[in-house]
Structures are given as structure tokens and as C-alpha cells.
Amino acid sequence: MRAFVVEKYGKDGARAAEVAEPAVGERDVLVRVSAASINPLDKMVRNGEFKQLLKYKHPFVLGHDVAGVVTRVGSAVHSFEAGDEVYARPRDLRIGGFAEYIAIDVDDVAPKPASLTLDEAAAVPLVALAAWQILVERGQVKPGHKVLVHAGAGGLGSTVVQLARHLGAEVATTTSPDTEELVRSLGADIVIDYTKEDFSQVLSGYDLVLDSVGGANLEKSLTVLKPGGLAVGVVGPPDAGFAKQLGAPAFLGFVMNTLSRKIRKRAKALGVRYQFFFMEANGSQLRKLGALYDSGQLRPVIDTTFPFDRTLEALEYVEQGRTKAGKVVISMARESD
Ligand SMILES: NC(=O)c1ccc[n+]([C@@H]2O[C@H](COP(=O)([O-])OP(=O)(O)OC[C@H]3O[C@@H](n4cnc5c(N)ncnc54)[C@H](OP(=O)(O)O)[C@@H]3O)[C@@H](O)[C@H]2O)c1
């Protein structure tokens, strides 16, 4: 089958290739991929930024988000059958959405939301799962909570803004002027143009901040929290909880705690909290999220769609920060679909 594989770590490490169709384990669902989507994580994995933690064996197929049609299931799978339309963020070490077929652990798969096309559904899993795990699990966001979402027009931010609003929060977001109207339409109550205004001078008393920018932006984010408030960082620095989540050896937990010591100390001094977050595959959460897409509470935001053959170009497009808002989708668009 055709696929885009990582042959070696580095910027030029990915290429188109003919590879064998994946083996289907007893708990697997074999999916004929209709669409995939790009995440910044693809570039990071291709570059080897996670190689100490996620031990991929070269060559491996890249791609963390897929939607498609089930063609076969393993002997222990009873919840899906051939012909079902599904979507998934396959778990780490079993990624591979930039291919004609992918075998996915059944626990990571959910029925595609009926109201979305397969192309639209491919834009959803990773960012929607991250939004759910940040707001519902970590943040326990309730009606009336104040939530600041940085980069509200990004693939992640555009989903977190919508879910925070759905959960009843008052939502503030940072974005550039071109996308102000979009983020308001997604449910942002307060929109800050980060190119002109310093959010930390205008916001205060927040229960939760999602920081996807890092560095000085994260440090400033701590200052808008109310006492006990939580800053969730998705770009780092990592903490020991991340090493534990990935089952990494204890010394890596120590290293990560050292990397985040300064920001955790700063948070403590301000009477607030900092936690690093890395999303996890979860099919049952995708089912719940699917219902929110079908009821119109959430909608995918798609910047551009590339044909499958141009997957490397699509990766570069995202890497160069050329997206205006939302996600970049890769479509198989076969004659038979
Ligand atoms: N740890 C996790 O589980 C997890 C999950 C998902 C994403 N992430 C990470 O989160 C980051 C964002 O992901 P994404 O998919 O949303 O990427 P994306 O679609 O490329 O979006 C990035 C956004 O950041 C905005 N931006 C840049 N500088 C900014 C600033 N100083 N203040 C506010 N906004 C700014 C850009 O807006 P303009 O175009 O207007 O500049 C753009 O909309 C990536 O680093 C990704 O790896 C982590």
C-alpha cells in the first residue's frame, strides 16, 4: 500500500513509500483510510523530538489522526464490523494515518459522527481528545469558570474554545486580528489581539489557562490565574507526570521535573499550579465528543485540504505556520468513496 514513512529522524526524514498492509491483531480494527489530518506532533515525531520516550522503529508510517471505513476486524472485536465509518487518534507507537490502511486498537476507535463527512471527521480526534482531557479531566471546568485559551484560532485552540463554552465557562482567547471574528463565532467572550495587546495586563481571576505557546507566554499566564488556579502547558516544559504517563524510567521523571522546576517554583510562589499535558488515545471519549459534533455544540475548523499524494507538502504547510485557522486535512478522495 502507499504510505508516508519516516526513514530517519530529521527534517528530510519522511518520504512516500510502498509498504506492506498492516497485520491485524485480535483486538484490532483494520481501517481503509479516507482522510487524515496533520498535527504539529507529526513534525515532532518525524524529527525525533520524542525519541527518548516513544521508541519508534524505522521505517514507520506517520500520522496521528484518521477517518475511514472498517474493512476487517480481529477475532476479539465485536463492536465494529466491515463497512462501519470510524474515526480515531491511534495510540502512540501505533500511529500511521498517512497510509491507505491502518490497524488500530479497538479501544482507540469510535464511530464517525454522522453529521460530519469523513474529511471533516479526520480533523477532529487529536484536538478534541486533548480539549476534553484538559477541560473535563484536568481542569474540571464547570459553568461560571473563567478559562483562557491561548491561540484560539489554532487546530487545538479552536476546539478548546468551543468545548469550554459548551461546558459553561466564560472564555477568553488570544489570536491575531484576522481570526477575531472566527474565534467569537466559536464562543469566545473576550478576544485579545496578541500582536497588539498584553493579555496579562487585562485579564485576572482565571480558573484555568491553556498555554500552547510556551516560554514568556506561559510565565505570564500564571499571573492571570486566581489562587489555586491551574495553568496547563501543552508545549512544555514537561514534568514528572508526563514521564509516568509514558511509563518512562524514573531517571527521565527526574530530568523532566528538573526541566519544569523553574515554572513550578514560580507557580507555587504565586499560589497557583502548573501541569504539563500530553493527550492520550481514547475511543470512549471520542464517542462522547462525537455526540457533541452531531448536536452542533462543536464543529471542526478546517483551513485547507490536500490530496494524499501531497502529504509532505501539507506537513510543510503546517510546519511553516501557513495555516490561518484550524486544521489541515489530507484526503484520499478515491473515485469509489
Ligand atoms: N501536548 C498535547 O497533548 C498537545 C495537543 C495538541 C497540540 N499541542 C501543541 O500545541 C501547539 C498548537 O497546536 P495546534 O494544532 O493548535 O497548532 P496550529 O494549528 O499550528 O496553531 C498554532 C496557533 O498559534 C497561534 N499563535 C502563534 N503565536 C501566538 C501567540 N504568541 N499568542 C497566541 N497565539 C499564537 C497561531 O496564530 P496566528 O497564525 O494568528 O499567529 C496559530 O493559530 C503545538 O505546539 C502542538 O504541538 C500539544
Side-chain angles (χ1 to χ4, degrees), residues 108-160:
D108 303 345
V109 182
K112 174 188 78 68
S115 61
L116 303 185
T117 65
L118 286 157
D119 279 9
E120 288 170 337
V124 167
L126 188 147
V127 290
L129 287 168
W132 183 274
Q133 291 163 13
I134 291 165
L135 296 174
V136 177
E137 294 190 329
R138 289 276 177 116
Q140 299 179 4
V141 170
K142 303 273 180 308
H145 277 189
K146 286 168 68 170
V147 175
L148 166 60
V149 182
H150 284 293
L156 177 63
S158 59
T159 311
V160 179

Side-chain angles (χ1 to χ4, degrees), residues 24 49 72 145-146 162 167 229 234 252 289 312 325 331:
V24 184
E49 290 176 38
R72 192 147 55 94
H145 277 189
K146 286 168 68 170
Q162 294 181 73
L167 295 169
V234 293
L252 279 176
L289 286 156
L312 294 182
S331 180

Side-chain angles (χ1 to χ4, degrees), residues 36-55:
S37 73
I38 309 273
N39 291 284
L41 183 58
D42 297 316
K43 172 203 74 177
M44 297 163 89
V45 167
R46 180 205 64 198
N47 288 352
E49 290 176 38
F50 287 97
K51 66 183 173 194
Q52 299 294 341
L53 297 165
L54 300 175
K55 309 261 182 206

Side-chain angles (χ1 to χ4, degrees), residues 50-329:
F50 287 97
K51 66 183 173 194
Q52 299 294 341
L53 297 165
L54 300 175
K55 309 261 182 206
Y56 286 100
K57 289 195 180 70
H58 296 96
F60 61 90
V61 182
L62 198 57
H64 289 82
D65 267 333
V66 286
V69 181
V70 175
T71 56
R72 192 147 55 94
V73 298
S75 57
V77 174
H78 305 294
S79 43
F80 293 97
E81 59 182 26
D84 288 349
E85 292 188 328
V86 295
Y87 71 152
R89 188 301 203 187
R91 63 190 56 189
D92 296 313
L93 301 177
R94 295 214 47 197
I95 63 168
F98 302 156
E100 291 185 272
Y101 290 89
I102 179 171
I104 310 174
D105 188 292
V106 64
D107 285 348
D108 303 345
V109 182
K112 174 188 78 68
S115 61
L116 303 185
T117 65
L118 286 157
D119 279 9
E120 288 170 337
V124 167
L126 188 147
V127 290
L129 287 168
W132 183 274
Q133 291 163 13
I134 291 165
L135 296 174
V136 177
E137 294 190 329
R138 289 276 177 116
Q140 299 179 4
V141 170
K142 303 273 180 308
H145 277 189
K146 286 168 68 170
V147 175
L148 166 60
V149 182
H150 284 293
L156 177 63
S158 59
T159 311
V160 179
V161 166
Q162 294 181 73
L163 186 60
R165 177 60 180 259
H166 167 69
L167 295 169
E170 181 189 306
V171 185
T173 192
T174 53
T175 193
S176 56
D178 292 353
T179 42
E180 175 176 348
E181 211 171 299
L182 170 80
V183 294
R184 284 203 191 278
S185 78
L186 298 176
D189 302 289
I190 300 170
V191 181
I192 294 174
D193 173 357
Y194 75 83
T195 65
K196 291 202 187 77
E197 238 179 322
D198 179 348
F199 68 90
S200 65
Q201 299 300 311
V202 277
L203 302 178
S204 61
Y206 276 72
D207 295 274
L208 182 79
V209 181
L210 164 64
D211 173 66
S212 56
V213 178
N217 198 77
L218 171 59
E219 286 197 24
K220 276 200 257 178
S221 294
L222 298 179
T223 69
V224 310
L225 289 166
K226 72 177 196 192
L230 174 65
V232 175
V234 293
V235 295
D239 56 17
F242 178 44
K244 199 171 164 201
Q245 178 185 335
L246 295 184
F251 82 92
L252 279 176
F254 175 77
V255 170
M256 289 185 188
N257 248 356
T258 308
L259 291 172
S260 56
R261 180 169 293 144
K262 188 175 155 224
I263 196 77
R264 288 184 295 104
K265 223 174 135 185
R266 175 98 185 98
K268 201 172 169 197
L270 290 164
V272 300
R273 294 170 294 148
Y274 167 74
Q275 288 175 9
F276 178 70
F277 168 85
F278 190 75
M279 61 81 52
E280 288 183 298
N282 188 319
S284 61
Q285 288 176 356
L286 272 184
R287 284 174 190 263
K288 291 183 195 153
L289 286 156
L292 296 180
Y293 282 91
D294 281 340
S295 64
Q297 308 296 315
L298 302 179
R299 66 176 165 94
V301 180
I302 296 175
D303 179 276
T304 322
T305 302
F306 283 82
F308 178 66
D309 290 347
R310 290 171 56 199
T311 296
L312 294 182
E313 244 179 90
L315 274 165
E316 207 174 320
Y317 181 88
V318 173
E319 206 168 333
Q320 291 171 349
R322 287 166 62 197
T323 40
K324 288 213 164 33
K327 301 267 316 199
V328 170
V329 169

